[in-house]
Amino acid sequence: MSEFSSFLLGTTIKCIVVIAVLIGAVAYTTWLERKVVAHLQIRWGPSRVGWHGLLQPIADVLKLLLKEDMTPGQASKFLYVLAPLIAFVPAALSITVIPFGNVAHFGSQTVRFQITDLNVGILFIFAVTSVGVYGVALGGWASNNKYSLMGGLRSSAQMISYELSLGLSVVSVLLVTGTLSLGQIVDLQGGRWFGIIPKWNIFVFPLFISFFTYFVSAIAETNRLPFDLPEAENELVAGFHTEYSSMKFGMFFLTEYINMITVSAIATTLFFGGWHGPTFGPLWLRGILPLFWFVSKIVAFLLFYIWTRGTLPRFRYDQLMAFGWKFLVPLSLANVVLTSLVVAWRA
Amino acid sequence: MQTIVFFIFAFIAVAAAINMLVQKHPIHSALSLIVVMAMLSIFYVMLYAEFLAVVQVIVYAGAIMVLFVFVIMLLNPREESHRTRQNRFLLVAGVPLGLCLMAEIVILLRRAPLGENETGRQLVGTTEAVGRVLFTDYLLPFEFISVLILIAILGAVVLTKREL
Amino acid sequence: METMRFNLESGQVESTAGKAETMILSMGPQHPSTHGVLRVVLELDGETVIKASPDIGYLHTGMEKLSETKTYAQVLPITDRTDYLAPMSNNLGYIMAVEKLCGLQNEIPLRAQYVRVIMVELNRIASHLVWLGTHAMDIGAMTVFLYCFREREQILNFFEAACGGRLTTSYFRVGGLPSEIPPDLVPRIQKFIKEFPGRVDEYETLLTKNPIWLRRTQGVGTISAQNAVAIGLSGPSLRATGVDYDIRKKEPYCGYEKFEFRVPTRTEGDVYARYLCRVEELRQSQKIVQQALDGLPGGPIRADCPKYVLPDRNKMKTEMETLIHHYKIITEGIHPPVGEVYHAIEAPKGELGYYLVSDGGPKPLRMHIRGPSFVNLQALATMCEGRLVADVVAVIGSLDIVLGEIDR
Amino acid sequence: MVTIPPPLENNSTVKRFVEKFGDALQEVVYFQGETTLVVEKGRILEFCQFARGDDALQFDSLADLTGVDRMPGEPRFEVNYHLLCLSRAERLRLKVRISEKDGKVTSVTSVWPTANWHEREVFDLFGIVFENHPNLRRILCPDEWNGHPLRKDYPMLGYEEAAPSPEPPTKRGWYSTLSD
């Protein structure tokens, strides 16, 4: 087998596995969210379909698939169909450069738990997610509904605004690590200081500020409470996806949760040492454990997401913009300067 | 292999560009332009300039075109009527300008060294190379442009806040 | 492009030429945050509201007309269905109006009055809980809603124990109560009332000092005291502007003068002030219920007034005259004297007035409900002008309207 | 001169009105602790302005405004104004009687803006026209509704036509966006 075709085969397998796992993860993220929010709100959540409602996500998917797929009469048909795809594809693409685990050895095969390690990995994610805005904006516009339009407008403004602070907060990490490759960023976070504190970026001096700005902007980017204005159901009915039904709605839904997972994965990679964590046991366990650590860190972030959703009220649109431009952007700018100074002083 | 890929994407790029001109609704034109941008970024990747490719998408597709689409959605114009198409001024000014542009491209292409440039591969498009060039040889223009953009931003702020 | 647009207030067709292009957004009648079937026609410039015109009547069921064809006793179940979040208050308002019409104001036994106060104040708590939950939900805080409903559920259970109905209680009767309250009800309410302040603290932890909540509510939907009075606001919405008018204090009825409670007022007149006033009312109502339970007297539950009030059942079996009265009331209904009365009580949402005209017959000539929501909703346009769409939702929530009462 | 029922003889509010208006006060009724002043129809606006503006009265709030159809009595309609003085916690009812033929009364929205919706409601349900009302449209019934449901002669069963009533052309159309 030539080098190229083995690469092609390996990557294809990885892609399929990752996408399948991702969609499964999304399904169970929705379950997790419903269950956790329910318990926050002193109710049971899904409990009928399967043990503790564990089959609920499957039932939901079936329901979405079997629902009538409607297109509003006055909608711009082509864009209306295209929009969920535009939203979904970038969301799924951005997972490709994230390292899930260490290099593992299965017999003679060496597997790297990452689809591809681009040398501009983090920028690639930004590039891809920045295209995702179109899905929401066009979906809102093409539905030919005033609520949708307002949702679409809100979301495009919101996403552009928060992308800025998102990008700036990552810059500090890049300054410290000196690379754009996510694989290398994770590799650099291995080991411990004084034998106890893991060498995660979050513990490097000014980077907790960037983590803060990153995570806040990331919540805004993923349109989650308290920043879920594009779909604010109490003002805009359902925002940009008011008119969407069936699997087209399902795509938007998937996108939202994939984005949540991606954002958590990036946060883990950039600040929390990625897949690093204590490994022990036989060789196969050593291969699997990093994956486990990575997933648990993501789940921790997801739980945080859900927790905020259960706790906080929603911002108003102008307050959201003011918060982004007047607080987060200056803060992350100042943080970049601070980090540069620290890095320069250390060098 | 590369050539095939190139031609596929080149075809898409040209088709999208033509589509951009032909489409009557501004939002369709804008979307076609985004497709062109995306194709350009693929060409950058093929030229081993990943950084440029990614920046192309982030800046043009992810930011500038979003604003375009935003404005188009906000104004919500109807389909363009044929009136502007028949504007004689466009014919008079457009054809010579187009010819000029064509000539420029031809001249540039003739001057450019054809064939693969192995040394250029590693140096041109990577993050490090771009950074190094920007902050050494082209530092002055780079700073000038930053100041220019800053002025533009200030101007925009002043224009929008005029009523205050 | 010159566009002509119908002006909702002046009724004139106006040209929009030379003005910023606006968008008309028909918010409702199917909308998650209009608390039923309210429709607000918003004229928007971007997201800024230029004009908000409430459009009501989607739930108009002709209750006032219906009442004219029913006897005084039969009208009672209709009153439940106006403000279905405060059926007890509506029952009380109507029953007190009938009692006033019959001249029974001073005949009601103390025990009945106390039970009335307990029920009505519990109902105030229940109504405010729904308001708090939905209001918080409108602003995006979803958990408060379920917490509030947990307590409301208990109150509805008390209602069920007392009268068999949870939402449509039809509880009070002219002259007192239909029946004695179940013996275990008082300790149950006692227990609930003891826990309740802690529960209010719980809601407040989620909202009162939450910076996002403050930003969403402070300075939003402001109305001055003068405007509020002119526009007819009543209840907590009025008191949030600084006008200290609570009918329970100023025109005491049903023995409210015997209870010690504070009428919370604020001066800001914004959404947050209305929020604080109502939350404080939750605590004050708890106090009133506590006092009423502690001082619940024994004795009869119905006035001894054979012309208007059903007699005791045992007496009916032994006394001929009582039997005749019973027969008359059951078959014909009561015949109040000719005249008209307007009786206002402090419902959870504000002044709830019942206007009754009697022509001496068994059916009211006219029954009119002065619903607080109907009048309070008029303030919406003033409060929303120049604000954002999200504020409209906050303001509607803070006005605490129930469409059943607005449209009647 | 109007006769004042005994319980109200020393009532300062009633006195004030009697002093000011004298003959325009058609009747003073006292029933179950409530005072009703029946007012000459044409002067209701004056009454209301006085009730609100006078320092001794200060009826700063209009709690309720509603109509009554006393068919077959004559004059057929009544409009009741339930005034409330917030500082003294005093209530007062003003009443005007309107004959069916006339069917008109001056709007008091200029005195109490809250009368706006109340008057619209009375117009909608009784067909009494309030002159100088800023926006006299139906409020509860749909714009194109026929008849006025709270009138006693409004058909209660079947599909009979409601009696036509004098009313201004109903303003219709929430959208009515006439392009170009």
Side-chain angles (χ1 to χ4, degrees), chain B residues 81-95:
Chain B
S81 62
H82 283 271
R83 200 154 30 109
T84 44
R85 242 158 251 272
Q86 292 159 347
N87 194 330
R88 192 166 295 168
F89 175 75
L90 288 181
L91 265 178
V92 173
V95 172

Side-chain angles (χ1 to χ4, degrees), chain C residues 4 6 8 26 56 65 68 100-101 103 230-231 251 340-342 351 355 365-366 368 370 378 408, chain D residues 32 34 63-64 66-67 80 84 91 93 95 114 117 121 135 139 149 151-152 156 173-175 178:
Chain C
M4 308 301 280
F6 182 75
L8 306 169
S26 173
I56 61 173
K65 182 75 174 172
E68 293 173 8
K100 197 174 188 182
L101 195 61
I231 224 151
E251 307 162 68
E340 55 192 318
V341 291
Y342 173 84
E351 175 176 337
Y355 172 66
L365 179 78
R366 167 105 172 96
H368 171 69
R370 187 265 191 212
Q378 282 197 68
R408 298 188 298 279
Chain D
Q32 307 291 20
E34 290 184 2
D64 190 19
T66 188
N80 294 298
L84 168 66
R91 288 180 192 269
R93 178 182 301 119
K95 185 194 285 287
T114 181
W117 281 20
E121 188 189 326
N135 183 25
I139 187 163
R151 289 187 169 198
K152 291 283 180 193
M156 293 290 285
W174 288 92
Y175 288 121
L178 316 168

Side-chain angles (χ1 to χ4, degrees), chain A residues 4 76 78-79 82 119-120 123-124 126-128 130-131 133-134 137-138 141 149 152-154 156-157 160 163 180, chain B residues 1 25 27-28 31 34 50-51 54-55 57-58 60-63 65-67 69-70 72-74 76 126-127:
Chain A
F4 179 74
S76 167
F78 177 65
L79 292 180
L82 192 67
N119 64 9
V120 286
L123 283 183
F124 173 77
F126 280 128
V128 166
S130 67
V131 176
V133 182
Y134 291 108
L138 290 176
W141 183 80
L149 178 67
L153 286 175
R154 277 181 175 191
S156 25
I160 298 173
E163 222 155 68
L180 288 169
Chain B
M1 182 72 197
H25 201 293
I27 238 169
H28 293 138
L31 287 178
I34 296 163
E50 294 95 346
F51 181 73
V54 166
V55 166
V57 173
I58 295 181
Y60 285 102
M65 285 315 291
V66 171
L67 284 178
V69 171
F70 183 80
I72 293 171
M73 277 162 57
L74 201 65
N76 209 1
T126 61
T127 319

Side-chain angles (χ1 to χ4, degrees), chain C residues 37-306:
Chain C
V37 286
L38 171 66
R39 171 164 173 245
V40 186
V41 183
L42 297 174
E43 190 177 349
L44 299 178
D45 177 15
E47 285 217 15
T48 313
V49 176
I50 297 174
K51 192 178 284 166
S53 320
D55 178 19
I56 61 173
Y58 289 89
L59 212 61
H60 180 47
T61 42
M63 288 178 186
E64 292 179 6
K65 182 75 174 172
L66 192 60
S67 310
E68 293 173 8
T69 63
K70 304 224 172 286
T71 64
Y72 286 93
Q74 287 169 338
V75 171
L76 181 66
I78 298 176
T79 62
D80 297 331
R81 284 139 177 96
T82 56
D83 180 357
Y84 42 80
L85 296 180
M88 288 287 185
S89 300
N90 278 276
N91 292 165
L92 185 69
Y94 170 72
I95 286 297
M96 292 200 76
V98 180
E99 284 166 357
K100 197 174 188 182
L101 195 61
C102 303
L104 292 176
Q105 297 109 306
N106 305 319
E107 309 281 322
I108 313 302
L110 207 56
R111 184 173 172 82
Q113 287 194 2
Y114 268 63
V115 173
R116 284 178 176 187
V117 167
I118 292 169
M119 288 304 169
V120 167
E121 289 305 317
L122 282 177
N123 202 165
R124 187 184 313 278
I125 292 175
S127 168
H128 279 5
L129 286 178
V130 176
W131 156 78
L132 180 61
T134 50
H135 184 39
M137 191 123 104
D138 290 347
I139 298 183
M142 155 191 184
T143 305
V144 185
F145 179 77
L146 289 133
Y147 285 6
C148 288
F149 267 59
R150 172 184 57 186
E151 271 72 67
R152 178 173 181 260
E153 187 64 22
Q154 282 176 283
I155 295 179
L156 293 188
N157 285 340
F158 300 150
F159 289 173
E160 192 180 8
C163 62
R166 289 160 60 84
L167 205 62
T168 49
T169 51
S170 309
Y171 186 38
F172 309 121
R173 295 289 183 276
V174 175
L177 304 174
S179 57
E180 188 55 75
I181 52 169
D184 69 328
L185 187 60
V186 171
R188 276 172 70 194
I189 302 178
Q190 286 274 19
K191 184 165 170 287
F192 167 76
I193 280 300
K194 279 220 177 64
E195 288 168 1
F196 189 65
R199 298 292 163 86
V200 181
D201 292 340
E202 221 167 86
Y203 318 141
E204 285 213 74
T205 358
L206 278 168
L207 298 176
T208 306
K209 283 184 184 135
N210 184 322
I212 301 178
W213 180 261
L214 291 177
R215 283 182 188 204
R216 285 300 304 275
T217 54
Q218 276 182 331
V220 173
T222 318
I223 191 164
S224 68
Q226 205 188 351
N227 270 339
V229 173
I231 224 151
L233 276 186
S234 56
S237 306
L238 176 67
R239 293 192 282 275
T241 64
V243 181
D244 180 15
Y245 197 86
D246 187 320
I247 301 177
R248 291 175 296 174
K249 278 272 185 214
K250 300 283 167 143
E251 307 162 68
Y253 55 92
C254 219
Y256 266 109
E257 65 279 1
K258 297 190 196 77
F259 302 110
E260 210 171 289
F261 64 99
R262 204 167 59 78
V263 177
T265 53
R266 304 286 299 182
T267 47
E268 299 89 344
D270 56 7
V271 173
Y272 189 60
R274 292 193 277 278
Y275 160 78
L276 287 178
C277 276
R278 288 208 178 88
V279 170
E280 185 54 32
E281 277 189 13
L282 283 175
R283 297 180 189 279
Q284 296 301 325
S285 291
Q286 182 266 345
K287 272 190 189 169
I288 299 174
V289 177
Q290 184 71 64
Q291 290 170 48
L293 285 172
D294 291 344
L296 186 65
I301 51 163
R302 273 198 293 271
D304 183 21
C305 182

Side-chain angles (χ1 to χ4, degrees), chain B residues 124-138:
Chain B
V124 179
T126 61
T127 319
E128 202 185 336
V130 171
R132 218 168 269 288
V133 171
L134 266 189
F135 287 101
T136 51
D137 296 355
Y138 296 100

